């Protein structure tokens, strides 16, 4: 577990959330005293599994990229 000050946590919040998302636990300290712990939320469905959930539900016809008819 890594410890960050409140100032550092605020300035690097996005990076810290990315690290937490990968499973790391982060401690946030105020004047050397731990005040918060960032831990990953346990989901039944992980983010990597959500990709392609709708696969096979939609059909794109082969004529999709054909040019449009001239405007009249």
């Amino acid at each position: 577990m890594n410890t960050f000050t409140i100032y550092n946590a605020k300035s690097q919040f996005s990076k810290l959330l990315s690290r937490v998302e990968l499973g790391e636990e982060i401690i946030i300290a105020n004047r050397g005293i731990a005040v918060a712990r960032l831990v990953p939320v346990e989901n039944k469905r992980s983010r990597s599994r959500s990709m392609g959930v709708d696969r096979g539900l939609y059909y794109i016809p082969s004529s999709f990229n054909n040019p449009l008819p001239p405007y009249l």
Side-chain angles (χ1 to χ4, degrees):
M1 278 189 274
N2 291 324
T3 303
F4 291 85
T5 64
I6 293 174
Y7 176 79
N8 288 338
K10 286 191 330 185
S11 63
Q12 300 178 18
F13 193 65
S14 297
K15 291 179 184 178
L16 293 180
L17 287 181
S18 295
R19 290 170 64 172
V20 169
E21 186 177 25
L22 294 173
E24 189 175 341
E25 292 186 7
I26 306 288
I27 301 292
I28 300 174
N30 186 15
R31 297 181 185 156
I33 299 171
V35 294
R37 182 170 53 134
L38 295 176
V39 296
V41 175
E42 297 201 20
N43 289 333
K44 291 182 182 179
R45 188 171 63 172
S46 70
R47 187 176 220 184
S48 62
R49 287 173 144 188
S50 64
M51 296 295 290
V53 171
D54 294 335
R55 184 175 292 148
L57 295 178
Y58 302 99
Y59 171 75
I60 299 174
S62 59
S63 62
F64 181 78
N65 289 321
N66 289 353
L68 295 174
Y71 183 72
L72 298 176

Coordinates of all heavy atoms in Angstrom, one line a residue:
M1 N 0.8 -1.2 0.0 CA 0.0 0.0 0.0 C 0.9 1.2 0.0 O 1.8 1.3 0.8 CB -0.9 0.0 1.2 CG -2.1 -0.8 1.1 SD -3.3 -0.6 2.4 CE -2.7 -1.7 3.6
N2 N 0.6 2.2 -0.9 CA 1.3 3.4 -0.9 C 0.5 4.5 -0.2 O -0.7 4.5 -0.2 CB 1.5 3.8 -2.4 CG 2.4 2.9 -3.1 OD1 3.4 2.4 -2.5 ND2 2.2 2.7 -4.4
T3 N 1.2 5.4 0.4 CA 0.6 6.5 1.2 C 0.9 7.8 0.4 O 2.0 8.1 0.0 CB 1.2 6.6 2.6 OG1 1.0 5.3 3.2 CG2 0.5 7.7 3.4
F4 N -0.1 8.7 0.3 CA -0.1 10.0 -0.3 C -0.6 11.0 0.6 O -1.6 10.7 1.3 CB -0.9 10.0 -1.7 CG -0.3 9.1 -2.7 CD1 -0.6 7.8 -2.8 CD2 0.6 9.7 -3.7 CE1 0.0 7.0 -3.8 CE2 1.1 8.9 -4.7 CZ 0.8 7.6 -4.7
T5 N -0.1 12.2 0.5 CA -0.6 13.3 1.3 C -1.9 13.8 0.6 O -2.1 13.5 -0.6 CB 0.3 14.5 1.4 OG1 0.6 15.0 0.1 CG2 1.7 14.1 2.0
I6 N -2.7 14.6 1.3 CA -3.9 15.1 0.7 C -3.6 15.9 -0.5 O -4.3 15.8 -1.6 CB -4.8 15.9 1.7 CG1 -5.3 14.9 2.8 CG2 -5.9 16.6 1.0 CD1 -6.0 15.7 3.9
Y7 N -2.6 16.7 -0.4 CA -2.2 17.6 -1.6 C -1.8 16.8 -2.8 O -2.3 17.0 -3.9 CB -1.1 18.5 -1.2 CG -0.5 19.3 -2.3 CD1 -1.2 20.5 -2.7 CD2 0.6 19.0 -3.0 CE1 -0.7 21.3 -3.8 CE2 1.1 19.7 -4.0 CZ 0.4 20.9 -4.4 OH 0.9 21.6 -5.5
N8 N -1.0 15.7 -2.6 CA -0.6 14.9 -3.7 C -1.7 14.1 -4.2 O -1.8 13.9 -5.5 CB 0.5 13.9 -3.3 CG 1.9 14.7 -3.1 OD1 2.1 15.7 -3.6 ND2 2.7 14.1 -2.3
A9 N -2.6 13.6 -3.4 CA -3.8 12.9 -3.8 C -4.7 13.7 -4.7 O -5.2 13.2 -5.7 CB -4.5 12.3 -2.6
K10 N -4.9 15.0 -4.3 CA -5.7 15.9 -5.1 C -5.1 16.1 -6.5 O -5.8 16.2 -7.5 CB -5.9 17.2 -4.4 CG -6.9 17.1 -3.2 CD -7.4 18.4 -2.6 CE -6.5 19.5 -2.6 NZ -7.0 20.7 -1.9
S11 N -3.8 16.3 -6.5 CA -3.2 16.7 -7.8 C -3.0 15.4 -8.7 O -2.8 15.6 -9.9 CB -1.8 17.3 -7.5 OG -0.9 16.4 -6.9
Q12 N -3.0 14.2 -8.1 CA -2.9 13.0 -8.9 C -4.1 12.1 -8.9 O -3.9 10.9 -9.0 CB -1.6 12.3 -8.5 CG -0.3 13.0 -8.5 CD 0.8 12.2 -8.0 OE1 0.7 11.0 -7.8 NE2 1.9 12.9 -7.7
F13 N -5.2 12.6 -8.6 CA -6.4 11.8 -8.3 C -6.7 10.8 -9.5 O -7.0 9.7 -9.2 CB -7.6 12.7 -8.0 CG -8.8 12.0 -7.5 CD1 -8.7 11.4 -6.2 CD2 -10.0 11.9 -8.1 CE1 -9.7 10.7 -5.7 CE2 -11.0 11.2 -7.6 CZ -10.9 10.6 -6.4
S14 N -6.7 11.3 -10.7 CA -7.0 10.4 -11.8 C -6.0 9.2 -11.9 O -6.4 8.1 -12.1 CB -6.9 11.2 -13.2 OG -7.9 12.2 -13.2
K15 N -4.7 9.5 -11.7 CA -3.8 8.4 -11.7 C -4.0 7.4 -10.6 O -3.9 6.2 -10.7 CB -2.3 9.0 -11.6 CG -1.9 9.7 -12.9 CD -0.5 10.3 -12.7 CE -0.2 11.1 -14.0 NZ 1.1 11.8 -13.8
L16 N -4.3 8.0 -9.4 CA -4.6 7.1 -8.3 C -5.8 6.2 -8.5 O -5.8 5.0 -8.2 CB -4.8 7.9 -7.0 CG -3.6 8.7 -6.5 CD1 -4.0 9.5 -5.2 CD2 -2.5 7.8 -6.2
L17 N -6.8 6.8 -9.1 CA -8.0 6.0 -9.4 C -7.7 4.9 -10.4 O -8.2 3.7 -10.3 CB -9.2 6.8 -10.0 CG -9.8 7.7 -8.9 CD1 -11.0 8.5 -9.6 CD2 -10.4 6.9 -7.8
S18 N -6.8 5.1 -11.4 CA -6.4 4.1 -12.3 C -5.7 3.0 -11.6 O -5.9 1.8 -11.9 CB -5.5 4.7 -13.4 OG -6.2 5.6 -14.2
R19 N -4.8 3.4 -10.7 CA -4.1 2.3 -9.9 C -5.0 1.5 -9.0 O -4.9 0.3 -8.9 CB -3.0 3.0 -9.0 CG -1.9 3.6 -9.9 CD -0.9 4.5 -9.1 NE -0.2 3.7 -8.1 CZ 0.8 4.2 -7.4 NH1 1.2 5.5 -7.6 NH2 1.3 3.5 -6.4
V20 N -6.0 2.2 -8.4 CA -7.0 1.5 -7.6 C -7.8 0.5 -8.5 O -8.1 -0.6 -8.0 CB -7.9 2.5 -6.8 CG1 -9.0 1.8 -6.2 CG2 -7.0 3.2 -5.8
E21 N -8.2 1.0 -9.6 CA -9.0 0.1 -10.5 C -8.2 -1.2 -10.9 O -8.9 -2.2 -11.1 CB -9.3 0.9 -11.8 CG -10.2 0.2 -12.7 CD -10.5 1.1 -13.9 OE1 -9.7 2.0 -14.3 OE2 -11.6 0.9 -14.5
L22 N -6.9 -1.1 -10.9 CA -6.1 -2.3 -11.2 C -5.9 -3.2 -9.9 O -5.3 -4.2 -10.0 CB -4.8 -1.9 -11.7 CG -4.8 -1.2 -13.1 CD1 -3.4 -0.7 -13.5 CD2 -5.3 -2.2 -14.2
G23 N -6.5 -2.8 -8.8 CA -6.4 -3.6 -7.6 C -5.6 -3.1 -6.5 O -5.5 -3.7 -5.4
E24 N -4.9 -2.0 -6.7 CA -4.0 -1.5 -5.6 C -4.8 -0.7 -4.6 O -5.8 -0.1 -4.9 CB -3.0 -0.5 -6.3 CG -1.9 -0.1 -5.4 CD -0.8 0.7 -6.1 OE1 -0.7 0.7 -7.3 OE2 -0.1 1.5 -5.4
E25 N -4.3 -0.7 -3.3 CA -4.9 0.1 -2.3 C -4.1 1.3 -2.0 O -2.8 1.1 -1.9 CB -5.1 -0.8 -1.0 CG -6.1 -1.9 -1.2 CD -6.4 -2.6 0.1 OE1 -5.9 -2.2 1.2 OE2 -7.1 -3.6 0.1
I26 N -4.7 2.4 -1.8 CA -4.0 3.7 -1.6 C -4.4 4.3 -0.3 O -5.6 4.3 0.0 CB -4.3 4.7 -2.7 CG1 -4.0 4.1 -4.1 CG2 -3.6 6.0 -2.5 CD1 -2.5 3.9 -4.4
I27 N -3.5 4.7 0.5 CA -3.7 5.4 1.8 C -3.5 6.9 1.6 O -2.5 7.3 1.0 CB -2.8 4.9 2.9 CG1 -2.9 3.4 3.1 CG2 -3.0 5.7 4.2 CD1 -4.3 3.0 3.7
I28 N -4.5 7.7 2.1 CA -4.4 9.2 2.1 C -4.2 9.7 3.5 O -4.9 9.3 4.4 CB -5.6 9.8 1.4 CG1 -5.7 9.3 0.0 CG2 -5.5 11.3 1.4 CD1 -7.0 9.8 -0.7
A29 N -3.1 10.4 3.7 CA -2.7 10.9 5.0 C -2.8 12.4 5.2 O -2.5 13.1 4.2 CB -1.3 10.4 5.4
N30 N -3.1 12.8 6.4 CA -3.1 14.3 6.7 C -2.1 14.4 7.8 O -2.3 13.9 8.9 CB -4.5 14.7 7.1 CG -4.6 16.2 7.3 OD1 -3.7 16.9 6.9 ND2 -5.7 16.6 8.0
R31 N -1.0 15.1 7.6 CA 0.1 15.4 8.5 C 0.6 14.0 9.1 O 0.8 13.9 10.3 CB -0.4 16.3 9.7 CG -0.8 17.6 9.2 CD -1.3 18.5 10.3 NE -1.7 19.8 9.8 CZ -2.6 20.6 10.4 NH1 -3.1 20.2 11.5 NH2 -2.9 21.7 9.8
G32 N 0.8 13.1 8.2 CA 1.3 11.8 8.6 C 0.4 10.8 9.2 O 0.8 9.7 9.6
I33 N -0.9 11.2 9.4 CA -1.9 10.3 10.0 C -2.9 9.8 8.9 O -3.4 10.7 8.2 CB -2.7 11.0 11.1 CG1 -1.7 11.4 12.2 CG2 -3.8 10.1 11.7 CD1 -2.3 12.3 13.3
A34 N -3.0 8.5 8.7 CA -3.9 8.0 7.7 C -5.3 8.4 8.0 O -5.8 8.2 9.1 CB -3.8 6.5 7.7
V35 N -6.0 9.0 7.0 CA -7.4 9.4 7.2 C -8.3 8.7 6.2 O -9.5 8.7 6.4 CB -7.5 10.9 7.0 CG1 -6.8 11.6 8.2 CG2 -7.0 11.4 5.7
A36 N -7.8 8.1 5.1 CA -8.7 7.5 4.1 C -7.9 6.4 3.4 O -6.7 6.4 3.3 CB -9.2 8.5 3.1
R37 N -8.7 5.5 2.9 CA -8.1 4.4 2.1 C -8.9 4.2 0.9 O -10.1 4.0 0.9 CB -8.1 3.1 3.0 CG -7.5 1.9 2.3 CD -7.3 0.7 3.2 NE -8.5 0.4 3.9 CZ -9.0 -0.8 4.0 NH1 -8.3 -1.8 3.5 NH2 -10.1 -1.0 4.6
L38 N -8.3 4.3 -0.3 CA -8.9 4.0 -1.6 C -8.8 2.5 -1.9 O -7.7 2.0 -2.0 CB -8.3 4.9 -2.7 CG -8.5 6.4 -2.6 CD1 -7.7 7.1 -3.7 CD2 -9.9 6.8 -2.6
V39 N -9.9 1.8 -2.1 CA -9.8 0.4 -2.4 C -10.7 0.2 -3.6 O -11.7 0.9 -3.8 CB -10.3 -0.5 -1.2 CG1 -9.3 -0.3 -0.1 CG2 -11.7 -0.1 -0.7
P40 N -10.5 -0.8 -4.4 CA -11.3 -1.1 -5.5 C -12.7 -1.6 -5.1 O -12.8 -2.3 -4.1 CB -10.6 -2.2 -6.3 CG -9.6 -2.7 -5.4 CD -9.3 -1.7 -4.3
V41 N -13.7 -1.2 -5.8 CA -15.1 -1.7 -5.5 C -15.2 -3.1 -6.2 O -14.7 -3.4 -7.3 CB -16.1 -0.8 -6.2 CG1 -17.5 -1.3 -6.0 CG2 -16.0 0.6 -5.6
E42 N -15.8 -4.0 -5.4 CA -15.9 -5.4 -5.9 C -17.2 -5.5 -6.7 O -18.3 -5.3 -6.2 CB -15.9 -6.4 -4.8 CG -14.6 -6.4 -4.0 CD -14.4 -7.6 -3.3 OE1 -15.0 -8.7 -3.6 OE2 -13.6 -7.6 -2.4
N43 N -17.0 -5.6 -8.1 CA -18.2 -5.7 -9.0 C -18.3 -7.2 -9.4 O -17.3 -7.9 -9.5 CB -18.0 -4.9 -10.2 CG -18.1 -3.4 -9.9 OD1 -18.8 -3.0 -8.9 ND2 -17.5 -2.6 -10.6
K44 N -19.5 -7.6 -9.7 CA -19.7 -8.9 -10.3 C -19.2 -9.0 -11.7 O -18.7 -10.0 -12.2 CB -21.1 -9.4 -10.2 CG -21.6 -9.6 -8.8 CD -23.1 -10.0 -8.8 CE -23.6 -10.2 -7.4 NZ -25.0 -10.6 -7.4
R45 N -19.3 -7.8 -12.4 CA -18.9 -7.7 -13.8 C -17.7 -6.8 -13.8 O -17.8 -5.6 -13.4 CB -20.0 -7.2 -14.6 CG -19.8 -7.2 -16.0 CD -21.0 -6.9 -16.8 NE -21.5 -5.6 -16.5 CZ -22.4 -4.9 -17.1 NH1 -23.1 -5.6 -18.0 NH2 -22.8 -3.7 -16.8
S46 N -16.6 -7.3 -14.3 CA -15.4 -6.4 -14.4 C -15.5 -5.5 -15.7 O -16.3 -5.8 -16.6 CB -14.1 -7.2 -14.5 OG -14.1 -7.9 -15.7
R47 N -14.7 -4.5 -15.7 CA -14.7 -3.6 -16.9 C -14.3 -4.3 -18.2 O -14.8 -4.0 -19.2 CB -13.7 -2.4 -16.6 CG -13.8 -1.3 -17.5 CD -12.9 -0.2 -17.1 NE -13.5 1.0 -17.4 CZ -13.0 2.2 -17.2 NH1 -11.8 2.2 -16.7 NH2 -13.6 3.3 -17.5
S48 N -13.3 -5.2 -18.1 CA -12.9 -5.8 -19.3 C -14.0 -6.7 -19.9 O -14.1 -7.0 -21.1 CB -11.6 -6.7 -19.1 OG -11.9 -7.7 -18.1
R49 N -14.9 -7.3 -19.1 CA -15.9 -8.1 -19.6 C -17.1 -7.3 -20.2 O -17.8 -7.9 -21.0 CB -16.6 -8.9 -18.4 CG -15.7 -10.0 -17.9 CD -16.4 -10.6 -16.7 NE -16.2 -12.0 -16.6 CZ -16.8 -12.7 -15.7 NH1 -17.6 -12.1 -14.8 NH2 -16.6 -14.0 -15.6
S50 N -17.2 -6.1 -19.9 CA -18.3 -5.3 -20.4 C -18.1 -4.9 -21.9 O -19.1 -4.6 -22.6 CB -18.5 -4.0 -19.6 OG -17.4 -3.2 -19.7
M51 N -16.9 -5.1 -22.4 CA -16.6 -4.8 -23.8 C -17.3 -5.9 -24.7 O -17.1 -7.1 -24.4 CB -15.1 -4.7 -24.1 CG -14.4 -3.6 -23.4 SD -15.0 -2.0 -23.9 CE -14.3 -1.9 -25.6
G52 N -18.0 -5.5 -25.7 CA -18.6 -6.4 -26.6 C -19.9 -7.1 -26.1 O -20.3 -8.1 -26.6
V53 N -20.5 -6.5 -25.1 CA -21.8 -7.1 -24.5 C -22.9 -7.2 -25.6 O -23.6 -8.1 -25.6 CB -22.2 -6.3 -23.3 CG1 -23.6 -6.7 -22.8 CG2 -21.2 -6.4 -22.2
D54 N -22.9 -6.2 -26.5 CA -24.0 -6.1 -27.5 C -23.6 -6.8 -28.8 O -24.3 -6.7 -29.8 CB -24.3 -4.6 -27.8 CG -25.0 -3.9 -26.6 OD1 -25.6 -4.6 -25.7 OD2 -24.9 -2.7 -26.5
R55 N -22.5 -7.5 -28.8 CA -22.1 -8.2 -30.0 C -23.1 -9.1 -30.5 O -23.7 -9.9 -29.7 CB -20.8 -9.0 -29.7 CG -20.2 -9.6 -31.0 CD -18.9 -10.3 -30.7 NE -17.9 -9.2 -30.4 CZ -16.9 -9.3 -29.6 NH1 -16.7 -10.4 -29.0 NH2 -16.1 -8.3 -29.4
G56 N -23.4 -9.0 -31.8 CA -24.4 -9.9 -32.4 C -25.9 -9.4 -32.3 O -26.7 -10.0 -32.9
L57 N -26.1 -8.3 -31.6 CA -27.5 -7.8 -31.5 C -27.8 -6.8 -32.7 O -29.0 -6.6 -32.9 CB -27.6 -7.0 -30.2 CG -27.5 -7.8 -28.9 CD1 -27.7 -6.9 -27.7 CD2 -28.6 -8.9 -28.9
Y58 N -26.8 -6.3 -33.4 CA -27.1 -5.4 -34.4 C -26.5 -5.9 -35.7 O -25.4 -6.5 -35.7 CB -26.5 -4.0 -34.1 CG -27.0 -3.4 -32.8 CD1 -26.3 -3.5 -31.6 CD2 -28.3 -2.8 -32.8 CE1 -26.8 -3.1 -30.4 CE2 -28.8 -2.3 -31.6 CZ -28.1 -2.5 -30.4 OH -28.6 -2.0 -29.3
Y59 N -27.1 -5.5 -36.8 CA -26.6 -5.9 -38.2 C -26.4 -4.6 -39.0 O -27.2 -3.8 -39.1 CB -27.7 -6.8 -38.9 CG -27.4 -7.0 -40.3 CD1 -26.4 -7.9 -40.6 CD2 -28.1 -6.4 -41.3 CE1 -26.1 -8.2 -42.0 CE2 -27.8 -6.6 -42.6 CZ -26.8 -7.5 -43.0 OH -26.5 -7.7 -44.3
I60 N -25.2 -4.6 -39.6 CA -24.8 -3.4 -40.4 C -24.8 -4.0 -41.9 O -24.0 -4.8 -42.2 CB -23.5 -2.8 -40.0 CG1 -23.5 -2.3 -38.6 CG2 -23.1 -1.7 -41.0 CD1 -22.2 -1.8 -38.1
P61 N -25.7 -3.5 -42.7 CA -25.7 -4.0 -44.1 C -24.4 -3.6 -44.9 O -23.8 -2.7 -44.6 CB -26.9 -3.3 -44.7 CG -27.2 -2.1 -43.9 CD -26.7 -2.4 -42.5
S62 N -24.1 -4.4 -45.9 CA -22.9 -4.2 -46.7 C -23.0 -2.9 -47.4 O -22.0 -2.3 -47.8 CB -22.7 -5.4 -47.6 OG -23.8 -5.5 -48.5
S63 N -24.2 -2.4 -47.7 CA -24.3 -1.1 -48.4 C -24.2 0.1 -47.5 O -24.4 1.2 -48.0 CB -25.7 -1.1 -49.1 OG -26.7 -1.1 -48.1
F64 N -23.8 -0.1 -46.3 CA -23.8 1.0 -45.3 C -22.8 2.2 -45.8 O -23.1 3.3 -45.6 CB -23.3 0.5 -43.9 CG -23.3 1.6 -42.9 CD1 -24.4 2.0 -42.3 CD2 -22.0 2.1 -42.5 CE1 -24.3 3.0 -41.3 CE2 -22.0 3.1 -41.5 CZ -23.1 3.5 -40.9
N65 N -21.7 1.8 -46.3 CA -20.7 2.8 -46.7 C -20.8 3.3 -48.2 O -20.0 4.0 -48.7 CB -19.3 2.3 -46.5 CG -19.0 2.2 -45.0 OD1 -19.3 3.0 -44.3 ND2 -18.2 1.1 -44.7
N66 N -21.9 2.8 -48.9 CA -22.1 3.3 -50.3 C -22.4 4.7 -50.3 O -23.0 5.3 -49.4 CB -23.2 2.5 -50.9 CG -22.9 1.0 -51.2 OD1 -21.7 0.6 -51.0 ND2 -23.8 0.2 -51.6
P67 N -22.0 5.4 -51.4 CA -22.3 6.9 -51.5 C -23.9 7.1 -51.5 O -24.6 6.3 -52.0 CB -21.8 7.3 -52.9 CG -20.9 6.1 -53.3 CD -21.3 4.9 -52.5
L68 N -24.2 8.2 -51.0 CA -25.7 8.6 -51.0 C -26.1 9.0 -52.4 O -25.3 9.5 -53.2 CB -25.9 9.8 -50.0 CG -25.6 9.4 -48.5 CD1 -25.7 10.7 -47.7 CD2 -26.6 8.4 -48.0
P69 N -27.4 8.9 -52.7 CA -27.9 9.4 -54.0 C -27.7 10.9 -54.1 O -27.7 11.6 -53.1 CB -29.3 9.0 -54.0 CG -29.7 8.7 -52.6 CD -28.4 8.4 -51.9
P70 N -27.6 11.4 -55.3 CA -27.4 12.9 -55.5 C -28.6 13.6 -54.9 O -29.8 13.2 -55.0 CB -27.3 13.1 -57.0 CG -27.6 11.8 -57.7 CD -27.7 10.7 -56.6
Y71 N -28.3 14.8 -54.4 CA -29.4 15.6 -53.8 C -30.2 16.3 -54.9 O -29.6 16.8 -55.9 CB -28.8 16.7 -52.9 CG -29.8 17.6 -52.2 CD1 -30.6 17.1 -51.2 CD2 -29.9 18.9 -52.6 CE1 -31.5 17.9 -50.5 CE2 -30.9 19.7 -52.0 CZ -31.6 19.2 -51.0 OH -32.6 20.0 -50.3
L72 N -31.5 16.3 -54.8 CA -32.3 16.9 -55.9 C -32.7 18.3 -55.6 O -33.0 18.8 -54.7 CB -33.6 16.1 -56.1 CG -33.3 14.7 -56.6 CD1 -34.7 13.9 -56.7 CD2 -32.6 14.6 -57.9

